[in-house]
Amino acid sequence: MPGVTSDSGELNSLSVVPHTLDTQKPRVYPLRLHRVTRPLARLSISWARGNTLRVSLLQTDDAASEQTPGGEVVEVKLGSADAGEIPEAQWRRIAYGSVAPFALLQSRKNSMDALHYEKDWWEHVMEYSKEINSLLGNTKSSVPPTIEDPKTVLKKVEEPTSLKAAWELMEMFYADKQSQTWIPERLLDWLADFDCLFSGTQPTVHAKLVSFQNKLVTIQAVENHPEYWEIMSSALAVGWLDVVVKLLRLHGSYLFDQLGSREIENGLVEAVALLISEMPRLRPDMPTEKIGECYSTKPEFMKAWEKWRAKITKLDCSAFWLQCDHQQTRVGLKNMLQVMLGNASVLSNVTYHWIELYISHFLYVRPFTVGLESMYSLAQKCMHLKPISYRHKLMGLIIGILEENTEVVLAECSRSFGPWMTTHAIELMAAGSTQAETLLHEEQSKIGGICIEELHRLTYAQILSSHALTWNIAPIYLTSCLKQGLGLLENLLYKQPVQHHLVLLKSMEICRLNGLDYVSYNMMKIAGVHYWKHGKKGSAVFWLQQARDEVRLNRIAKHLFDFVGKSVSDESFKQWEGMIELLGTESKTAGGLEFLKKYRDFRRSLQQVQEGITTDAARKAAEALISLMRNPSTPQQFWLPLLYDSLKLLNWQEGPLLNVSQTNLLLNKLQELSLARLLPGFVDAGLPPEALQSVRLALATNLGRAILEE
């Protein structure tokens, strides 16, 4: 499928990257048995509903007893083991959905001049990126409930995928030129959406928050719970300000019966919540559900930042802390103030992996950081402070991007996210970095003189070509490869089964769109030969006629002439009526079969003459006879039967139907036929012995009558 590459393939194929579909590791599905034990006498497997297997296990007579059953039936659902984040059906939807944006981007690239390319190209790339991103899922929350639970601090959203997270990273750093000044804020939003992806291998703020939210229902006074303050400090460190304010509002001092006795405590909680809500953010706008004050320019942000930090320092030194009797509240709020003041040791304690620590440093320690070089040095520092035993694939991609190492980014995309990601993300990389664009488009002698961009497109196209449900979108990517794309496209089209009508029509449409008329004609010839070998003579003649294959049509004509009736009364000709209708009106495409169509028309008119129709019908029959005798496609073996069947026309009593020149033409044909009898290989028509003399006498009589009439 589009997300999986393979390592080997046929050596005699035209593949740039050999591959096969048989390299996937076999999946193991465990059987959860409850009643039967070994040894087993018999195992039976059958299909159940959907993609479920029904496994029947029967025990031996020795193992079975009155207390234990003699067998057990269990069901195993296929596809659940090692299925990956994205199932194959979803991969195909992504593959088909990404074709249109990719093709449109290539079309725009080919039509833009150099001046507009430098100025406006990133806008087209961003439009392309947004369309691709929409195929990878939605991280927005679902429809909110009518009555909102005050203890729900995290909204339910669609489970994100690493593929979408990786794509948004590539878009953020390479394609979106407008967000270059506020990349730290973009990273904060990114972590809020995808921090849950890291929860499978290591502790995260998101995992701790989900766990605590499940406990909130059973907790009476949250301010007495140590985990309450730990979670708020962690969420505050990674910038989830709305979550922190919601949790602060759950503090017991907000209860009506507590306001009078806990006024100082409530005031301190509210002061911290207000400071959090007023936190300056260097970004142009903010989603409605987020909190903070936005500043679009750096000078304004710096002024607001200094004022905000002064307020925090003032609150931290306030005398009201001495009047707060609740120790957990006092310690928890003071710890949150240290987070906002950028205490490095506190930030390290309340975050769980280096990316969370990285974001917290952007927010509270180095809010004015710009440039990938300084961002990479900070990332190295955070990785040193928060070493990890297992590196998630997204972490490797982030490091490669911050390091500005195009080779590492390509390797991570290919290894972790597959050929689809690499092929489509290359467009973002080329638009965001001149160095990356040069590397991607430079021809490499080690890979046959093609560039890296073309190599990855060819690899992805081959993966598409190897599947019956995606082969028809592979040409979009092959035609974008200038060096070897068209050659591999021809190879792909020739490998398609011509016996499937819809596949053949699709292949011909692909040929038409890409100017491969000769490939289309060859495929129609192959289809014609295939149908002829399998007894479908009508379909064979149709496709050979469409291919204008005169050679094979003439061979078929010679083969059919032995079965066509030699006289008007012969009924064997009727079985070919349907196939003759397929020849249509374009005689140029019929080859030797053109004779059959004219012969059929002549037989019909001659039949009317024998039934006693008027002289006008007889003249039309005579004209059809002359047309047949003049036509070079009329086989010589049919000359005498045609003339013998036309004796009534030659001896027409009301007057000669043929003039002198027409009669001389027929006499010359008759003379030529007499000489051909002496040559080896002559095919006798099987007529009576007196047929030749009868025809010659009738022609001589008609010639005399025609001379007298003229």
Side-chain angles (χ1 to χ4, degrees):
M1 279 315 299
V4 181
T5 55
S6 303
D7 301 325
S8 60
E10 298 179 1
L11 297 178
N12 59 350
S13 68
L14 297 181
S15 301
V16 173
V17 182
H19 72 284
T20 178
L21 289 180
D22 299 329
T23 59
Q24 296 182 4
K25 296 181 180 179
R27 296 177 179 176
V28 179
Y29 298 91
L31 295 178
R32 294 177 174 82
L33 305 178
H34 302 285
R35 295 186 296 271
V36 299
T37 58
R38 294 182 181 182
L40 299 175
R42 184 179 178 185
L43 179 68
S44 176
I45 303 176
S46 60
W47 281 108
R49 181 178 300 178
N51 61 336
T52 304
L53 285 180
R54 181 180 292 111
V55 183
S56 303
L57 304 102
L58 301 179
Q59 283 189 309
T60 60
D61 295 337
D62 298 336
S65 63
E66 295 182 359
Q67 289 78 18
T68 60
E72 185 176 354
V73 178
V74 295
E75 291 188 348
V76 180
K77 187 175 182 180
L78 303 180
S80 58
D82 195 26
E85 284 186 313
I86 303 177
E88 289 192 1
Q90 180 64 19
W91 264 123
R92 287 194 292 272
R93 283 192 287 270
I94 293 173
Y96 271 91
S98 55
V99 169
F102 179 84
L104 178 60
L105 189 68
Q106 302 309 310
S107 176
R108 287 173 171 172
K109 182 187 297 184
N110 297 331
S111 61
M112 290 183 68
D113 54 38
L115 178 62
H116 289 86
Y117 180 84
E118 295 292 338
K119 182 179 179 182
D120 304 327
W121 180 242
W122 74 271
E123 296 179 358
H124 297 307
V125 174
M126 270 303 295
E127 180 182 346
Y128 158 81
S129 179
K130 295 296 184 184
E131 292 185 31
I132 296 292
N133 195 14
S134 65
L135 301 172
L136 305 180
N138 184 18
T139 56
K140 303 299 181 183
S141 60
S142 56
V143 179
T146 306
I147 302 176
E148 187 173 356
D149 186 358
K151 291 190 176 183
T152 301
V153 293
L154 283 180
K155 296 181 180 179
K156 291 184 179 180
V157 296
E158 180 182 341
E159 186 70 21
T161 62
S162 298
L163 184 65
K164 183 176 179 65
W167 186 267
E168 291 197 3
L169 275 176
M170 300 291 287
E171 176 187 294
M172 182 194 315
F173 284 96
Y174 290 111
D176 194 355
K177 301 295 184 182
Q178 291 183 334
S179 66
Q180 295 298 316
T181 57
W182 52 286
I183 279 185
E185 286 285 342
R186 287 286 306 272
L187 277 174
L188 187 152
D189 295 341
W190 180 86
L191 183 65
D193 291 334
F194 302 108
D195 191 43
C196 57
L197 296 175
F198 302 103
S199 302
T201 57
Q202 54 205 339
T204 62
V205 174
H206 181 272
K208 297 292 184 180
L209 192 56
V210 170
S211 176
F212 181 71
Q213 181 174 265
N214 296 331
K215 301 176 183 177
L216 272 177
V217 182
T218 59
I219 298 177
Q220 296 295 327
V222 291
E223 64 272 17
N224 295 329
H225 204 287
E227 192 175 357
Y228 170 70
W229 298 104
E230 295 174 5
I231 287 297
M232 281 198 295
S233 296
S234 297
L236 181 61
V238 294
W240 300 353
L241 308 184
D242 54 324
V243 173
V244 178
V245 172
K246 283 184 180 180
L247 287 172
L248 284 174
R249 297 285 192 259
L250 298 178
H251 195 276
S253 63
Y254 282 95
L255 298 175
F256 290 110
D257 58 346
Q258 301 288 328
L259 286 176
S261 58
R262 304 174 69 177
E263 185 177 358
I264 299 296
E265 183 180 348
N266 180 256
L268 291 172
V269 173
E270 185 61 27
V272 173
L274 183 61
L275 283 173
I276 293 173
S277 302
E278 294 177 349
M279 179 178 178
R281 312 290 291 272
L282 183 58
R283 56 190 301 162
D285 52 24
M286 187 95 67
T288 55
E289 66 272 11
K290 303 294 183 180
I291 61 177
E293 297 183 0
C294 299
Y295 295 90
S296 56
T297 62
K298 192 172 182 180
E300 293 178 352
F301 172 73
M302 294 177 65
K303 290 180 181 179
W305 176 264
E306 295 298 333
K307 291 181 180 179
W308 182 70
R309 289 291 289 264
K311 291 180 181 180
I312 298 175
T313 304
K314 184 177 180 180
L315 179 61
D316 189 39
C317 300
S318 173
F320 287 106
W321 296 106
L322 301 175
Q323 303 176 32
C324 180
D325 298 329
H326 196 273
Q327 181 181 1
Q328 288 92 339
T329 299
R330 184 174 64 253
V331 173
L333 291 178
K334 293 280 281 186
N335 195 60
M336 294 172 66
L337 290 180
Q338 290 301 309
V339 169
M340 290 188 284
L341 288 172
N343 189 313
S345 61
V346 174
L347 292 176
S348 180
N349 291 333
V350 298
T351 52
Y352 297 97
H353 56 82
W354 73 265
I355 297 182
E356 294 177 348
L357 180 61
Y358 187 57
I359 298 298
S360 67
H361 274 259
F362 277 136
L363 285 173
Y364 305 109
V365 181
R366 301 171 61 177
F368 311 116
T369 302
V370 292
L372 290 181
E373 183 177 353
S374 57
M375 293 177 68
Y376 179 61
S377 63
L378 178 59
Q380 287 183 312
K381 177 182 177 181
C382 294
M383 284 187 284
H384 178 72
L385 293 174
K386 288 283 186 181
I388 53 176
S389 57
Y390 174 81
R391 191 178 77 169
H392 195 276
K393 53 188 176 182
L394 287 172
M395 294 182 178
L397 181 61
I398 294 175
I399 294 171
I401 293 174
L402 295 177
E403 194 180 3
E404 297 184 87
N405 193 325
T406 305
E407 292 91 339
V408 172
V409 175
L410 280 175
E412 289 293 336
C413 286
S414 179
R415 179 178 62 86
S416 302
F417 305 102
W420 177 91
M421 177 66 177
T422 311
T423 301
H424 295 85
I426 279 177
E427 300 296 336
L428 307 185
M429 298 174 64
S433 170
T434 305
Q435 179 185 0
E437 183 179 17
T438 303
L439 176 66
L440 293 171
H441 295 160
E442 182 181 2
E443 294 182 357
Q444 306 284 339
S445 58
K446 296 181 180 180
I447 52 177
I450 62 176
C451 61
I452 295 177
E453 178 185 63
E454 183 169 338
L455 174 65
H456 286 288
R457 288 180 184 176
L458 292 175
T459 304
Y460 177 58
Q462 283 189 237
I463 300 300
L464 294 174
S465 304
S466 62
H467 200 285
L469 298 178
T470 55
W471 75 268
N472 55 327
I473 60 177
I476 301 296
Y477 299 90
L478 290 175
T479 52
S480 67
C481 302
L482 301 180
K483 292 284 187 179
Q484 300 187 14
L486 287 180
L488 290 174
L489 176 57
E490 292 181 24
N491 186 40
L492 169 64
L493 293 173
Y494 282 135
K495 287 184 177 181
Q496 299 311 310
V498 296
Q499 65 269 25
H500 298 307
H501 185 66
L502 294 178
V503 174
L504 180 57
L505 292 179
K506 182 63 179 179
S507 300
M508 292 170 59
E509 177 67 13
I510 293 172
C511 291
R512 184 188 67 81
L513 293 174
N514 296 284
L516 300 175
D517 294 337
Y518 64 96
V519 177
S520 179
Y521 286 137
N522 289 339
M523 294 187 67
M524 289 187 285
K525 292 177 183 179
I526 295 172
V529 172
H530 170 82
Y531 284 122
W532 182 264
K533 288 182 177 180
H534 289 79
K536 298 180 179 181
K537 295 181 172 57
S539 298
V541 170
F542 171 78
W543 286 114
L544 292 175
Q545 183 181 1
Q546 295 297 314
R548 303 179 185 273
D549 191 349
E550 297 284 344
V551 175
R552 289 181 175 82
L553 285 174
N554 288 332
R555 290 179 182 176
I556 291 176
K558 292 178 181 179
H559 180 75
L560 294 181
F561 291 158
D562 297 335
F563 298 94
V564 176
K566 306 300 188 298
S567 66
V568 179
S569 59
D570 197 337
E571 297 295 328
S572 64
F573 186 75
K574 292 183 179 180
Q575 62 178 316
W576 306 105
E577 289 281 343
M579 190 185 68
I580 292 174
E581 291 292 339
L582 291 174
L583 300 179
T585 58
E586 298 183 10
S587 60
K588 293 183 179 179
T589 63
L593 296 177
E594 177 190 357
F595 161 72
L596 294 178
K597 184 174 180 64
K598 294 181 179 294
Y599 185 40
R600 188 271 312 272
D601 297 337
F602 170 70
R603 287 170 63 92
R604 288 177 178 176
S605 59
L606 198 61
Q607 187 69 33
Q608 294 177 351
V609 172
Q610 292 185 354
E611 292 174 358
I613 308 298
T614 61
T615 303
D616 292 337
R619 290 188 182 278
K620 291 181 180 180
E623 292 175 0
L625 173 64
I626 295 299
S627 177
L628 274 173
M629 298 302 289
R630 283 179 174 172
N631 196 319
S633 66
T634 302
Q636 194 179 58
Q637 68 192 75
F638 279 84
W639 290 356
L640 186 57
L642 285 171
L643 295 173
Y644 185 71
D645 289 342
S646 305
L647 284 176
K648 189 172 183 179
L649 297 177
L650 300 177
N651 296 319
W652 194 255
Q653 296 181 358
E654 297 181 11
L657 299 177
L658 304 176
N659 57 31
V660 175
S661 62
Q662 292 173 336
T663 307
N664 285 330
L665 171 67
L666 298 182
L667 285 171
N668 291 334
K669 292 287 186 180
L670 201 61
Q671 182 65 24
E672 187 179 342
L673 185 63
S674 300
L675 295 175
R677 285 175 174 271
L678 304 177
L679 299 176
F682 178 78
V683 179
D684 192 6
L687 296 176
E690 68 276 5
L692 182 60
Q693 295 298 329
S694 300
V695 171
R696 182 175 286 126
L697 178 60
L699 287 174
T701 303
N702 187 84
L703 179 62
R705 295 168 65 192
I707 293 174
L708 291 175
E709 186 171 314
E710 293 182 359

